[in-house]
Amino acid sequence: MLGELAAVKENIICVDMALKPNKQIVHVYINFILRAVRIVLLLALYCYYCLFCKLLDGGWSSWSSWTPCTNKCGYGIKTQSRTCTNPTPSPHGNDCVGNSMRVDTCFVITDTSKYADCSEVKAHCESASDGIYHVTLWNTKRKIQVYCDMTTNGGGWTVFQYRYNGKVDFYRNFAEYVKGFGDLRTEFWLGLDYVEEISSQYKSQLRVDLISANGTTAFEVFDKFSLGASPEYTLHVGSTLSSHNIGSSGSFGPYHKDMPFSTYDNDVDKSSRNCASTYHGAWWYNKCHYVNLNGKYLIPGDIDDKGINYYSFLGRSSLKETRISFRRSPT
Ligand SMILES: [Ca+2]
């Protein structure tokens, strides 16, 4: 009995031994096939990727239209842009070559004649530069040209007197001082009639800029500036808002304010003399002057009451350059 059992067990072991190699072979085959399939799939995926994805380089879209010019009154900048979306590059494709933005200069000629003065031009054209502008006076609708200082202390100044070389004769009669004379490109007097109208629209500041023989500069700014009506064109000016190199003796404002405008043929000063004739000028003379900015253009530095004087700057020393301007007061 024991012998029979031993024989059966030996047979079972033999059968088991005979089956095991077959199972291993099957497993090896299956693994091989699975790996092969995986490799083929990866290869296929890689090839697909190479053929259809990697080669998808980026392309530029069309340029957008130009942006509006950055400056509304003169030279400015405009830009165009484009995007790398035509097509968008694949993750490993090449980006677009070149710039996504291009810049060009532009020039806009704005019709400033709809504005009434340099302050209004400046308000609408922030980057406007110094120069001559067409404006339309607010009340009479007269169209005139004015020289605008767009840079000094924020700009917006309508310049009504400028002298720097004596080429223009300022010893003129009343009618000429009313309508103006000279050349806006060089030396000029804008005209009492225009200054009166412009300064009567809004509260204004008055600014006087001065340069001496040796180049020393000075300025004085006053508030509450305006001119009275024709034919007096009385000077209205308030207190000094700011100044540079201006002393306290012989001040322009206190002495000359509330005076009418005198010329040699229109003596309305407070002196028994003819101040305009005596001091070779035209001004809001009192019992004559501390300031004589329309006086005779002498050699700068000459000491003479007939010269271009601004007493609280350099006494009786005649100046090299003067500029008088005004603008709307900040509200
Ligand atoms: Ca007099």
Side-chain angles (χ1 to χ4, degrees):
M1 186 68 181
L2 284 172
E4 289 175 359
L5 283 172
V8 169
K9 186 177 180 182
E10 189 177 339
N11 286 335
I12 290 170
I13 289 170
C14 287
V15 170
D16 193 37
M17 291 291 286
L19 286 172
K20 267 189 177 175
N22 290 335
K23 267 189 174 178
Q24 284 177 337
I25 290 168
V26 169
H27 284 157
V28 168
Y29 279 141
I30 290 172
N31 282 337
F32 176 77
I33 291 168
L34 286 174
R35 282 182 184 176
V37 168
R38 195 181 302 163
I39 289 169
V40 168
L41 284 173
L42 286 172
L43 280 172
L45 195 63
Y46 180 73
C47 289
Y48 174 83
Y49 185 73
C50 290
L51 289 171
F52 299 104
C53 298
K54 189 180 178 183
L55 295 180
L56 196 61
D57 293 337
W60 288 114
S61 66
S62 302
W63 286 104
S64 67
S65 49
W66 289 103
T67 58
C69 196
T70 53
N71 190 356
K72 296 175 183 172
C73 308
Y75 284 100
I77 289 172
K78 61 181 179 179
T79 59
Q80 270 187 317
S81 60
R82 57 181 178 175
T83 55
C84 190
T85 54
N86 187 31
T88 302
S90 60
H92 293 281
N94 293 318
D95 282 329
C96 298
V97 178
N99 296 320
S100 61
M101 181 177 288
R102 62 183 177 189
V103 179
D104 201 1
T105 55
C106 47
F107 184 76
V108 178
I109 301 174
T110 295
D111 180 14
T112 60
S113 64
K114 57 189 171 187
Y115 305 131
D117 59 25
C118 298
S119 298
E120 198 172 8
V121 173
K122 179 68 176 177
H124 288 86
C125 308
E126 181 61 29
S127 55
S129 54
D130 296 350
I132 298 169
Y133 291 84
H134 292 267
V135 296
T136 301
L137 301 186
W138 70 277
N139 189 25
T140 60
K141 306 302 178 189
R142 287 176 292 181
K143 296 183 184 299
I144 64 168
Q145 288 183 301
V146 290
Y147 186 88
C148 298
D149 172 355
M150 296 303 200
T151 49
T152 301
N153 191 27
W157 300 97
T158 302
V159 181
F160 75 84
Q161 190 250 36
Y162 187 36
R163 305 183 74 184
Y164 62 95
N165 61 10
K167 294 283 179 65
V168 172
D169 181 11
F170 272 63
Y171 193 54
R172 308 270 184 146
N173 64 31
F174 188 69
E176 289 177 289
Y177 268 93
V178 168
K179 71 178 183 182
F181 55 84
D183 187 331
L184 290 177
R185 293 167 297 183
T186 58
E187 296 188 317
F188 64 89
W189 175 265
L190 181 60
L192 293 166
D193 204 23
Y194 304 133
V195 176
E196 183 276 319
E197 180 168 345
I198 296 171
S199 67
S200 66
Q201 187 181 12
Y202 294 96
K203 290 179 181 175
S204 298
Q205 298 174 344
L206 178 72
R207 181 181 174 103
V208 181
D209 285 277
L210 311 163
I211 300 179
S212 73
N214 66 6
T216 303
T217 61
F219 73 81
E220 190 163 14
V221 180
F222 303 88
D223 66 357
K224 298 178 181 173
F225 165 71
S226 67
L227 293 185
S230 172
E232 291 83 12
Y233 300 106
T234 301
L235 175 66
H236 300 297
V237 66
S239 55
T240 299
L241 293 172
S242 60
S243 67
H244 173 66
N245 279 339
I246 299 294
S248 56
S249 175
S251 294
F252 167 46
Y255 190 68
H256 288 281
K257 71 178 182 180
D258 302 327
M259 295 297 120
F261 196 85
S262 288
T263 54
Y264 63 80
D265 63 339
N266 182 50
D267 179 4
V268 288
D269 57 51
K270 287 193 170 181
S271 170
S272 57
R273 298 172 294 169
N274 181 322
C275 292
S277 172
T278 304
Y279 295 104
H280 200 84
W283 200 247
W284 296 275
Y285 290 111
N286 191 322
K287 290 177 180 177
C288 292
H289 72 77
Y290 277 132
V291 172
N292 194 34
L293 296 186
N294 293 329
K296 194 169 187 179
Y297 196 94
L298 303 172
I299 296 172
D302 279 3
I303 307 299
D304 196 325
D305 289 333
K306 293 179 181 171
I308 303 173
N309 295 164
Y310 200 90
Y311 197 84
S312 56
F313 174 36
L314 285 177
R316 299 166 60 234
S317 176
S318 195
L319 302 175
K320 179 183 176 186
E321 187 171 326
T322 72
R323 190 175 58 196
I324 310 173
S325 53
F326 67 112
R327 72 177 178 190
R328 298 180 189 184
S329 299
T331 52

